Amino acid sequence: MPSNGSSNKFKVACVGRAFGPEAEAIIRDVAPAEFDLTFSVETGEAAHPLVHESDFILVTMPVTEKLIQESPKLRLVHKWGIGVDKIDLEGAERQGVPVAITAGSNAGAVAEHTLLLILGALRRISLADRSMRAGEWIYTELRPLCRKLSGKKVGILGFGNIGKNVAQRLQGFEVEIIYHDPYRASEEVEKKLNARYVSFDDLMAESDILTLHCPGGEANHHIINARSLARMKRGSVLVNCARGDVVDEQAMVAALNSGQLLSAGLDAFEPEPLPASSKLLAMDNVVLTPHTAGSVLDNVAPVALHAFRNMQRVINGEPIPRSDLVVVPSKPRQFAGSDAGAQRA
């Protein structure tokens, strides 16, 4: 039975900027009958009372150990999407609360956006659009700045669900695909995706276009920095649909100004939102989007259903799929009428 006692439904707080009115309507439409949903676009203290009273949270906001500790009914922290760099994972472990993601649920959308940014950066689509809106016709001026995708070597840093989806979508573009990841893909997958495994240094040195799909956080903090950018071919292209902290922005701006990088397509920044003082905003060789690679309306229902199914697994004492579990507490919280089976998965 629900832990809130006074209700026959489980309380779910959906908190963060991902939940606008259109998305909220879809999520409510697909929500299981046993869930009572509350939404907030707040990401700070104003959202905390909703979390404190909830059995489950579905979030894009930061989640601290203090917030978890002050939410005694909380059974599961569920991320909308896959990035958990804003969730205190060690704190969740100490509080006995599992953390889950919707693994693979937005991989297709992010992969499509990656192709958009690759092509947009190669063809200077932002500059072309802005100049036309300003009444200009820079046909001759654009030619020296633009490049085609076919015939290029595309490097993928991070070969999980999204990286593989990018490789799959590149198949028709007549490119060579190389990748680096801590875990090499099987020979079968490499053959299917025409992808070749290389070292990190070789990825930097060989790529004409480098697209990032690795996790953020301490392990990959500024993995793209002055040193790694210097190893890249002069006139190469950088695309980031991962996390802002994997790129040293100052070093990237210097590489864009010097011509070491021809252009960049960026969907993730450090910090976010991108501050008005960022030099990137004034650069014609950069295509910018506000961390929207996975934000498409027709993917809302699948992501929501994915998360709700994991919540139902917790209620029923069933295991959450290992691909979705980020934190499995060694001493999970116990609730009346539940054997916490999902937390032991």
Side-chain angles (χ1 to χ4, degrees):
M1 291 297 294
S3 62
N4 51 36
S6 62
S7 171
N8 60 358
K9 291 189 175 184
F10 292 89
K11 291 186 176 181
V12 181
C14 303
V15 187
R17 293 193 179 96
F19 306 113
E22 296 83 4
E24 178 180 337
I26 294 172
I27 295 168
R28 287 191 182 279
D29 186 57
V30 302
E34 67 264 35
F35 290 154
D36 178 17
L37 273 57
T38 306
F39 286 82
S40 174
V41 295
E42 298 286 349
T43 58
E45 294 287 338
H48 290 189
L50 299 178
V51 177
H52 293 164
E53 295 300 318
S54 296
D55 300 284
F56 301 96
I57 57 174
L58 183 59
V59 297
T60 60
M61 66 174 281
V63 177
T64 64
E65 180 176 4
K66 183 174 183 289
L67 181 59
I68 298 172
Q69 185 179 34
E70 294 175 351
S71 306
K73 302 174 183 177
L74 190 60
R75 297 166 177 258
L76 176 69
V77 174
H78 211 301
K79 178 65 169 62
W80 179 272
I82 62 172
V84 293
D85 48 301
K86 296 180 181 179
I87 298 174
D88 185 345
L89 303 180
E90 293 181 357
E93 158 66 31
R94 285 190 292 267
Q95 295 301 318
V97 176
V99 178
I101 60 175
T102 52
S105 61
N106 66 351
V110 176
E112 290 180 3
H113 198 88
T114 299
L115 267 290
L116 167 75
L117 290 183
I118 290 174
L119 291 167
L122 284 168
R123 302 302 294 268
R124 296 293 180 89
I125 197 70
S126 293
L127 174 60
D129 180 78
R130 287 196 302 271
S131 63
M132 287 195 67
R133 293 177 189 276
E136 301 172 351
W137 191 267
I138 58 171
Y139 175 89
T140 302
E141 294 86 346
L142 275 174
R143 187 189 298 273
L145 305 177
C146 296
R147 305 290 187 272
K148 65 179 184 177
L149 176 54
S150 62
K152 301 298 189 295
K153 185 178 290 188
V154 180
I156 301 174
L157 181 59
F159 211 57
N161 286 319
I162 296 172
K164 292 183 180 72
N165 268 266
V166 171
Q168 191 275 325
R169 283 160 173 77
L170 284 168
Q171 296 306 304
F173 284 93
E174 299 177 346
V175 297
E176 181 180 348
I177 300 171
I178 57 176
Y179 77 93
H180 179 74
D181 190 278
Y183 305 98
R184 183 171 180 174
S186 67
E187 183 177 347
E188 179 183 2
V189 168
E190 289 184 347
K191 183 176 181 180
K192 177 182 177 182
L193 297 176
N194 297 307
R196 176 168 58 89
Y197 177 84
V198 296
S199 68
F200 175 79
D201 284 345
D202 286 346
L203 188 78
M204 296 299 105
E206 294 184 31
S207 297
D208 298 303
I209 300 157
L210 176 65
T211 179
L212 309 178
H213 303 288
C214 54
E218 184 177 351
N220 292 320
H221 182 74
H222 289 183
I223 192 171
I224 304 302
N225 51 37
R227 177 185 177 277
S228 54
L229 288 167
R231 290 187 61 85
M232 296 182 69
K233 298 177 181 178
R234 184 169 180 80
S236 52
V237 172
L238 177 67
V239 170
N240 185 12
C241 283
R243 286 293 183 268
D245 65 350
V246 305
V247 178
D248 180 337
E249 183 179 310
Q250 184 176 350
M252 176 176 60
V253 167
L256 287 162
N257 282 329
S258 71
Q260 176 65 12
L261 287 176
L262 174 75
S263 55
L266 306 173
D267 185 58
F269 308 92
E270 183 189 31
E272 293 183 355
L274 186 66
S277 59
S278 173
K279 294 180 180 179
L280 293 170
L281 294 170
M283 304 183 78
D284 284 336
N285 56 344
V286 179
V287 180
L288 305 172
T289 56
H291 209 138
T292 53
S295 299
V296 290
L297 194 63
D298 45 359
N299 201 46
V300 170
V303 176
L305 286 168
H306 189 141
F308 288 146
R309 181 67 187 105
N310 281 339
M311 295 175 195
Q312 289 176 317
R313 289 184 172 105
V314 171
I315 294 168
N316 297 328
E318 301 170 356
I320 292 175
R322 291 188 178 277
S323 58
D324 283 355
L325 274 172
V326 179
V327 172
V328 186
S330 56
K331 295 181 179 180
R333 284 182 177 177
Q334 297 296 315
F335 299 94
S338 171
D339 64 1
Q343 299 174 27
R344 297 196 304 269

